[in-house]
Structure formats: structure tokens, C-alpha cells
């Protein structure tokens, strides 16, 4: 039977090429992603090891206990400790450091890599006995020697177009500073090479910014030859105050840094795995369809094997051996393509401003095992059902006819199973329409409902093929006899038609559903920003730990073109045991910058001891305007009764509670601080000139962001943009695999209908008519898959949309008609293009030879 399987593979190698390509695509994504992940991890580890090369032990201060002053706890890291550490046996050199974070502006005044706050590194340039800091080799210029000088790494200088001798604006955790760039260095720090920035100060300036004068944030020790890191770490730990400082080996730091950077960039590695899963799932239908058609054509051959003594188990094994050989070939080809994918992924996923590490490809055992397991497993499992179906055919019955229509019992079982799955899937989705709660439980129910619905559509597709194709056949019949024949050919085997259309159906359902959710969410975010914001600009901080200089409020108000500028102090308030956000505002200007829909009361009464609350808070605590509520504001531990002067509909700009700015500032964790400035312009229009003026008014501080309404919407829709990118990727995968499936099915169908095509040619149909018939058949199959996919995708999007409505009050269903029309046209074009080769092959058949073929 193994020889029989090998012979069948060689005899039908042309027809199995499309199957190999489909499985190869999925294997390539899986193996390529795993190789990319292993290679990236190795590159991060190598970069971290190089960064900590020569560092045997690092001494740092421990976190202070609750209630202790931070500066008192870190005062242990001083010059006296540096001298003590230098005398520890095994210590070759001691290098103190003062590290922190600094965000820089590019030469054009815009913040550099604002989304990578975790990688905005700042440190002290601490020269050794030779006058150089070995951690940061100078590339150009000289090291900073006073508080007015700065050095950066070469990557930061290139990305920001920074030049030696020119001023650079930056900020650490407060007001903006301007320093002169005097040097450019190189670094192997993996956080910087992963897209961060590096700013170097002289030692005194770094101590003042990130520690206290005369003290450090860490002390690095190098070991003498023959001294192990662990041994030296134990010696250093023994002489440190156990409650105030600790020692960590360089290898442990390198491993931790590599893990941290890898965690920050883990999302890059998940995206290809999503594509791999989708491609394998869709490709499995092509495998099933191919083996079903091959076995159907070899029914008499299988019957002959059964007649001469082959058992059902041997027939099944023969087909599975055939699938195994195909899977091995697809796995080998897919793994080779996967290596190519792994080599280009750093360039595809990374950018000049956000690079990914480069290094040699690491081919681990899990990548090889995954490639073989996925390729062989999918192919063998997909071929198992057709093999069992072939083995169940009685030899005498198979010898009589090469085509065995499905039994009425099997069709009834399929119909019942499909209807049950349809009811379960649709029921799960319909049950969510009133939930309006995007909890993890409801999201899991939504995903389960969508998955069951897709399976139900796949099961019912053969039964739906006849009515749907007869409906769409009204269009194809307009092409005359060729259109009529195309429809009848598509209806000849509904199971085959359904299997061919399934790949396109799944990809269309994914794209349609995601497109509807993406378009509806995007419009909801737009409406949300417009509904809650009356200001034209919002000046805010990039991190919640940063505050705006209160003096900047007046400078913004004095900016030409500004009508109103009001400061907002954001803090927290505890009500009923839960923490809520509170915005401190000026009662006389809040109406100009916030669009508040009051249900009762007046904001003019805001003041000490008087607050306004959202309708959600009012409903949860049973309070209305004029009532009183117990709350603790900000850092205050004292709860007191606040009078509710107004209730307003939920507003994202206003948080959950509104209070007077003076009271909120007094009780905030940073007393007197301001977190936002809401700006209303004279004309209500926004422009680049006005934005530049506002940036200048706040000192071009890179820790602050100046955003108009469109920018706020783009920021809120950041994840939605990633979702749409994923949608287009899934569409591309579906298009490729669906095209392969249509080409494969039509090619095998043409081979099956050789005599029939010969008869059509003999009675007068020309080559153009044959080609048109095959193309219309492909378009009919594509239209069937597209219609089912659109129906399933739109239904799922409508049901799941209620969960988004619970998170965004402005959410409403908004169909992207342009995108849906494009999907339909693209699907039909896929059918026409995929039919090109089979149509040409059918038209090239000689009438006499085709009729004479047995």
C-alpha cells in the first residue's frame, strides 16, 4: 500500500501542487515566526550581554519601606561607599552611575519616539583614569563637562537630525531644558538599539537630576581575572547595609534587560502567528477538497483494490500515506520559505524610528518540530475523512459508477447538525445583544459564538449551495447557454462547490465583520471626542507622573488666536470603596471647553465641598443634585460629606467627578499641579501655526503633547488601526488560498469533464465559449462563498457590536459600504482570475481526442 500511495502521489503530482502551496503557506508563517522569535531573543540577549560586558556586579539602593524618605534611603550610594567597594578583594575597578530618563526634541521641535517612554535613557558620562567612559565610546566631539553640555548616541542624533554645536531641548520629569550638543557616542544597550534614545550628562548634572548631589543611582564593579561574578557578589553583599542596598551580578542584569525588552516587543511576534493560524485553517479546506476529488476520480481503482483483497483499513492507510508524503513535502518547502520570512521580518515589522534587533538566524528544535507537526498534521487530518468515505464504498457499487452521490441519511444528518450548530452559535451572539458589557466573560462568549457560527456555515454550505447558486444564476444565465452550463456545473456536486467556496467564505466573513466593527468604533470615537470636548486643543502630559508648569497656563492664554485657556487638575476620589477620576475645573470657563449635558443642577455652584458627578456615579450611589455623598479626595485620608450640585451625562473629558480646581489641587498627590490645559481659539479653527504657537508657549516641552480633536481620535483609535491592518492581512491570506482552491478545483473538474467538453466542442461551441463557461463557473463559486461570508460577518458584527456599545455610549452600527462593495468585487475578480489557466486548458482540448477519451 505504501508503493501504491507513492505511485498515486507521482501520478497526480500536478494536482497536488496547489495543496502543497496552501499547507506550505501556513507552515512558512509558523516556522518563520518561531525562528524570528528565537533569533530576536538571541539578539536581545547578545546586545544585553555586550552592554553589561565587563560589569561583574552592580550595587543599587533598595526600595524604601513605607513612610521612609526616598533620599535618606538612597544616600548610602555615595563616594565613601565607592571607596569601600574598591577595597573589596576581587574588585578590579569601580564605576558609579547616575541614571534616569530624559525625553528629547528633534531638531524641528517635535518629541522623539514619544511612544517609547520606557526606552528614553539618560545617564552620567563618568570618565575613568584614561578620561574616557568605556560604556559609551565617543564617535564625534567630546564628552559633556558641565551642566550646559549634552551627548547623545549616534542613532538618536541621526533620527532627530541633531548636530554638534546646536542646542537640544529636553525634559526629565519637569520643565524643559536646553543644552548644547557636544558629543556623539555609540552604545550597545538593547533598549536604545530597540528604538530608544540616550542622553548623557556630566556627573554632577546627572546626580542633581536623578539622585542627589554627591550620590548615585548605582555602582558598577568589574572583577579581577579568575574572580567569579557570584563569588564577588557574595563578598559585596556581606559589606553592604542589608536594609538599604543590594548587589546584582552582571549576568543577571543582562538576562533581566533582555527579558524586559523582549516583553515590550512581544506583540511583533504574535501577528505572524495569527496569520499562520488563519492560513492553516483556511488551507485545510483546500486539502480536504483536493483529496475528496482525487478519491472520487479513483473510486473504481479503490474498488478494484477492495475486490482483490485490500481491506478498508488498508485503503485508509494508503490515502493517509499519500497525505503524509504531501505533508512532508509541504513542511520542507514551508520551512525553507519560513527562513526567508524570518530574515525579512525585522525589516517589515521594524522602522528606522522603531528598529528590531538583527542577528544570525537561530534554528531551534521547536521550529523544526512545529513545521513538521503543522504541515504533516494538517494534511493527514484533512485527508482522513475522505479516506474513510472511500473505504466505506462497496466494491461492486464503486465498479458501477465513479460518482457516488451522498446518501439521503447523510444529508439529513448534516442538515440537523448544521441547524443545531447554527442555533447554538446564533443564540450565543443574540444573547449578547442586551449585555452592553465588554467583560472578559462576554468577550469569550462572543468569540465562541462566532466560531460555532462559522462551523455551522461550513456544515450547511453544501445544502445552501443549490438555492443560493440558483438565485445568483439569474445573472450568469444572461450570458446565454454558457452561463446556464456554468450554473449547472457548479450545482453538479454541491459538496465540492461548498468546499471550494469555504476558504473565500471564511476570509470574507472575517473582513466584513472586522470592517463593520472598525468603522463603527471609529465613528463612535469621533463622536465621543466631539460630544465631550468643547475646546479646540488639549495640552496634556505623556505620562501620569508628569505635571504641567502652572505658569504655562497664562502663557497659553496670552498666545495670539487663543480665546480661552483653562487649566484642569486631574486626581482621584474614593466613593463607596471604589476609586474614580476627578477633574478640577474653573466653574466660569468650564462651559467654554467642555460640552457637558446636565441632567440636573448647575456647575456655577462648584466650590470647596461641592462637586458634580456623572449620571453613572449618581445611579450607582442613588444620589441626585442637592444630595450629599461621602468621599475622600486625592491624597487626603479623611472622608467627608460633599454636596452634589449637578449631575451630567457621562463625559470622557470630564472624568467621573468634577470639582473646583483649587480644592482638587490642594488634595492632589502633587499639590498645585496641573495635568491638562483646554484651549479654545478665537475662530474655532485649528492650524499648524496655532499648534506651533501653543508648543512654544509650553516651552516645547517633549513631555507634553498638543492635540486637536482629530489627534485625540487618532490616539484613541490606535488599536483600531492595528486591527484594520490585521484585517487586510487576513484578507490577503484568504485571497491567496481561495485562489489556489478555485484553480485546483477547476483544473481537476476540467480533467473530469474532458469528454463532456469534447462533445460541446463537437456540436459547435467555440474556444471562447468554453473559456467563458469555465470563468462563469468560477465566478459563481466565488459569489456563493462571498454571499455566505458577508451574511455571517455582518450578523456577527451586529451582535458583537452591543458589547462595544457598553464601553462607548456613542457606538452605533455603521456599515462601511465602500469596503463591503470592494470585498464583493474583489471576490468576483478572484474567481475570474483563478479560472484563467483551467479555462485556457479546457479550450485547448481537441474535440476528437476529448470525445475519444475513456
Amino acid at each position: 500500500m505504501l508503493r501504491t500511495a507513492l505511485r498515486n502521489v507521482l501520478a497526480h503530482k500536478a494536482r497536488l501542487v496547489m495543496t502543497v502551496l496552501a499547507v506550505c503557506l501556513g507552515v512558512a508563517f509558523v516556522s518563520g515566526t518561531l525562528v524570528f522569535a528565537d533569533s530576536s531573543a538571541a539578539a536581545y540577549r547578545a546586545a544585553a550581554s555586550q552592554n553589561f560586558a565587563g560589569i561583574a556586579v552592580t550595587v543599587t539602593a533598595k526600595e524604601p519601606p513605607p513612610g521612609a524618605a526616598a533620599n535618606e534611603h538612597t544616600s548610602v550610594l555615595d563616594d565613601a561607599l565607592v571607596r569601600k567597594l574598591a577595597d573589596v578583594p576581587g574588585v578590579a575597578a569601580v564605576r558609579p552611575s547616575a541614571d534616569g530618563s530624559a525625553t528629547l526634541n528633534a531638531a524641528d521641535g517635535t518629541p522623539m519616539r514619544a511612544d517609547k517612554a520606557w526606552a528614553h535613557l539618560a545617564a552620567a558620562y563618568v570618565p575613568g583614569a584614561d578620561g574616557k567612559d568605556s560604556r559609551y565610546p565617543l564617535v564625534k566631539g567630546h564628552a559633556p563637562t558641565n551642566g550646559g553640555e549634552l551627548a547623545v548616541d549616534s542613532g538618536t542624533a541621526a533620527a532627530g537630525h541633531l548636530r554638534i554645536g546646536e542646542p537640544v531641548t529636553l525634559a526629565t520629569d519637569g520643565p524643559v531644558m536646553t543644552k548644547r550638543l557636544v558629543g556623539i557616542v555609540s552604545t550597545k544597550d538593547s533598549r536604545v538599539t530597540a528604538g530608544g534614545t540616550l542622553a548623557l550628562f556630566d556627573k554632577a548634572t546627572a546626580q542633581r537630576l536623578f539622585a542627589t548631589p554627591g550620590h548615585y543611582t548605582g555602582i558598577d564593579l568589574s572583577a579581577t581575572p579568575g574572580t567569579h561574578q557570584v563569588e564577588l557578589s557574595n563578598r559585596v553583599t556581606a559589606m553592604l547595609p542589608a536594609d538599604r542596598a543590594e548587589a546584582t551580578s552582571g549576568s543577571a542584569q543582562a538576562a533581566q534587560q533582555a527579558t524586559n525588552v523582549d516583553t515590550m516587543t512581544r506583540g511583533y511576534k504574535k501577528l505572524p502567528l495569527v496569520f499562520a493560524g488563519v492560513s492553516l485553517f483556511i488551507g485545510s479546506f483546500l486539502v480536504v477538497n483536493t483529496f475528496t476529488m482525487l478519491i472520487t476520480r479513483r473510486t473504481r481503482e479503490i474498488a478494484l483494490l477492495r475486490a482483490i483483497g485490500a481491506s478498508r483499513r488498508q485503503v485508509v492507510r494508503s490515502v493517509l500515506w499519500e497525505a503524509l508524503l504531501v505533508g512532508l513535502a509541504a513542511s520542507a518547502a514551508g520551512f525553507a520559505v519560513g527562513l526567508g520570512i524570518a530574515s525579512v521580518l525585522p525589516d517589515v515589522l521594524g522602522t528606522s524610528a522603531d528598529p528590531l534587533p538583527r542577528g544570525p538566524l537561530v534554528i531551534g528544535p521547536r521550529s523544526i518540530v512545529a513545521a513538521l507537526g503543522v504541515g504533516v498534521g494538517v494534511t493527514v487530518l484533512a485527508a482522513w475523512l475522505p479516506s474513510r468515505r472511500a473505504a466505506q464504498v462497496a466494491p461492486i457499487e464503486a465498479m458501477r459508477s465513479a460518482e457516488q452521490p451522498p446518501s439521503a441519511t447523510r444529508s439529513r444528518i448534516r442538515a440537523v447538525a448544521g441547524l443545531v450548530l447554527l442555533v447554538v452559535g446564533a443564540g450565543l451572539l443574540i444573547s449578547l445583544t442586551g449585555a452592553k458589557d465588554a467583560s472578559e466573560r462576554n468577550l469569550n462568549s462572543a468569540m465562541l459564538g462566532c466560531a460555532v457560527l462559522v462551523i455551522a456555515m461550513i456544515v450547511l454550505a453544501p445544502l445552501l449551495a443549490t438555492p443560493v447558486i440558483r438565485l445568483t444564476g439569474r445573472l450568469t444565465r444572461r450570458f446565454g447557454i454558457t452561463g446556464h452550463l456554468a450554473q449547472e456545473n457548479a450545482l453538479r456536486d454541491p459538496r465540492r462547490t461548498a468546499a471550494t467556496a469555504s476558504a473565500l467564505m471564511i476570509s470574507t466573513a472575517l473582513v466584513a465583520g472586522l470592517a463593520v466593527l472598525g468603522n463603527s468604533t471609529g465613528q463612535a470615537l469621533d463622536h465621543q471626542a466631539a460630544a465631550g470636548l468643547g475646546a479646540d486643543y488639549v495640552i496634556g502630559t505623556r505620562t501620569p507622573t508628569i505635571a504641567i508648569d502652572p505658569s504655562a497656563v497664562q502663557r497659553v492664554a496670552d498666545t495670539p488666536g487663543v480665546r480661552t485657556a483653562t487649566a484642569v487638575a486631574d486626581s482621584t476620589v474614593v466613593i463607596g470603596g471604589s476609586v474614580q477620576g476627578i477633574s478640577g475645573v474653573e466653574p466660569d470657563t468650564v462651559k467654554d471647553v467642555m460640552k457637558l449635558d446636565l441632567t440636573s443642577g448647575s456647575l456655577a455652584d462648584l466650590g470647596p465641598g461641592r462637586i458634580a458627578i456623572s449620571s453613572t456615579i449618581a445611579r450607582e450611589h442613588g444620589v441626585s443634585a442637592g444630595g450629599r455623598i461621602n468621599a475622600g479626595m486625592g491624597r487626603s485620608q479623611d472622608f467627608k460629606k460633599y454636596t452634589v450640585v449637578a449631575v451630567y451625562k457621562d463625559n470622557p473629558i470630564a472624568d467621573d467627578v468634577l470639582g473646583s480646581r483649587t480644592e482638587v489641587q490642594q488634595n492632589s498627590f502633587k499639590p498645585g499641579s496641573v495635568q491638562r490645559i483646554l484651549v479654545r481659539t478665537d475662530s474655532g479653527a485649528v492650524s499648524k501655526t496655532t499648534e506651533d504657537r501653543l508648543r512654544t508657549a509650553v516651552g516645547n516641552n517633549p513631555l507634553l503633547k498638543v492635540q486637536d480633536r482629530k489627534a485625540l481620535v487618532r490616539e484613541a483609535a490606535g488599536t483600531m488601526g492595528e486591527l484594520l491592518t490585521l484585517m487586510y492581512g487576513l484578507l490577503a491570506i484568504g485571497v491567496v488560498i481561495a485562489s489556489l482552491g478555485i484553480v485546483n478545483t477547476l483544473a481537476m473538474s476540467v480533467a473530469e469533464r474532458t469528454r463532456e467538453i469534447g462533445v460541446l466542442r463537437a456540436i459547435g461551441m467555440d474556444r471562447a465559449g468554453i473559456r467563458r463557461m469555465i470563468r462563469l463557473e468560477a465566478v459563481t463559486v466565488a459569489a456563493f462563498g462571498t454571499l455566505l461570508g458577508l451574511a455571517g460577518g455582518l450578523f456577527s458584527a451586529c451582535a458583537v457590536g452591543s458589547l462595544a456599545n457598553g464601553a462607548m455610549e456613542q457606538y452605533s452600527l455603521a456599515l462601511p459600504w465602500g469596503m463591503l462593495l470592494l470585498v464583493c468585487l474583489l471576490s468576483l475578480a478572484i474567481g475570474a482570475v483563478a479560472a484563467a489557466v483551467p479555462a485556457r486548458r479546457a479550450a485547448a482540448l481537441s474535440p476528437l481526442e476529448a470525445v475519444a477519451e475513456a
Side-chain angles (χ1 to χ4, degrees), residues 494-578:
R495 290 180 301 174
R496 179 187 303 176
T497 299
T500 305
S502 292
L504 198 56
M505 177 188 70
I506 295 170
S507 58
T508 302
L510 285 171
V511 173
L514 290 175
V516 171
L517 289 175
N519 187 64
S520 302
T521 303
Q523 291 193 17
L525 290 171
D526 196 3
H527 294 158
Q528 191 176 65
L533 182 64
D536 300 305
Y537 287 95
V538 176
I539 302 175
T541 61
R542 298 191 182 277
T543 59
T545 59
I546 304 300
I548 301 175
D549 182 5
S551 63
V553 180
Q554 188 59 46
R555 294 197 300 270
V556 171
D558 295 337
T559 300
V562 172
R563 186 178 78 185
T564 303
T566 182
V568 179
D570 292 324
S571 186
T572 59
V573 60
V574 180
I575 301 176
S578 61

Side-chain angles (χ1 to χ4, degrees), residues 57-117:
V57 177
T58 296
V59 177
T60 55
K62 288 186 175 181
E63 289 291 331
N71 57 348
E72 293 179 1
H73 206 71
T74 58
S75 62
V76 64
L77 304 181
D78 55 11
D79 289 320
L81 181 60
V82 171
R83 291 189 291 271
K84 290 181 181 179
L85 292 173
D87 295 332
V88 174
V91 173
V94 181
R95 189 183 300 275
S97 60
D99 301 336
S101 176
T103 304
L104 287 74
N105 276 335
D108 61 359
T110 58
M112 291 187 61
R113 299 170 181 175
D115 59 332
K116 284 187 171 289

Side-chain angles (χ1 to χ4, degrees), residues 147-349:
E149 296 180 342
L150 177 76
V152 299
D153 69 287
S154 54
T156 300
H161 304 288
L162 307 177
R163 295 181 176 85
I164 296 290
E166 294 183 351
V168 178
T169 56
L170 70 154
T172 54
D173 62 353
V176 68
M177 300 178 288
T178 301
K179 299 186 181 296
R180 188 169 64 92
L181 184 64
V182 298
I184 296 177
V185 304
S186 63
T187 180
K188 296 178 180 178
D189 194 305
S190 57
R191 292 166 293 180
V192 180
T193 57
T197 60
L198 173 65
L200 295 176
F201 305 90
D202 67 288
K203 185 174 72 172
T205 301
Q207 287 178 324
R208 178 174 55 81
L209 291 174
F210 309 122
T212 55
H215 297 86
Y216 306 98
T217 58
I219 303 174
D220 298 329
L221 310 176
S222 59
T224 57
T227 302
H228 194 274
Q229 289 187 2
V230 176
E231 178 185 358
L232 183 59
S233 178
N234 293 335
R235 293 176 187 172
V236 171
T237 300
M239 56 85 58
L240 292 174
D243 60 332
R244 299 176 65 187
E246 61 184 348
T248 308
S249 67
S251 58
Q253 294 180 80
Q256 183 60 47
Q257 186 179 114
T259 301
N260 292 340
V261 176
D262 181 64
T263 301
M264 294 293 182
T265 57
R266 187 170 295 168
Y268 292 116
K269 304 169 187 176
K270 293 181 178 179
L271 189 61
L273 283 177
V274 174
F275 291 156
V278 172
S279 62
L280 284 170
F281 181 66
I282 299 177
S284 63
F285 293 96
L286 175 55
V287 179
V288 171
N289 204 26
T290 300
F291 277 95
T292 299
M293 294 177 70
L294 286 174
I295 290 171
T296 300
R297 291 212 68 197
R298 287 164 24 209
T299 303
R300 290 184 177 178
E301 174 189 327
I302 294 173
L304 181 59
L305 291 174
R306 292 290 311 282
I308 63 176
S311 65
R312 291 183 177 181
R313 185 172 299 176
Q314 286 177 312
V315 171
V316 172
R317 280 206 301 263
S318 174
V319 177
L320 294 183
W321 273 112
E322 189 175 337
L324 176 64
L325 295 174
V326 172
L328 288 173
S331 298
F335 189 77
V337 176
L339 294 180
I341 292 176
S343 64
V344 301
L345 275 179
D347 295 326
V348 174
L349 298 178

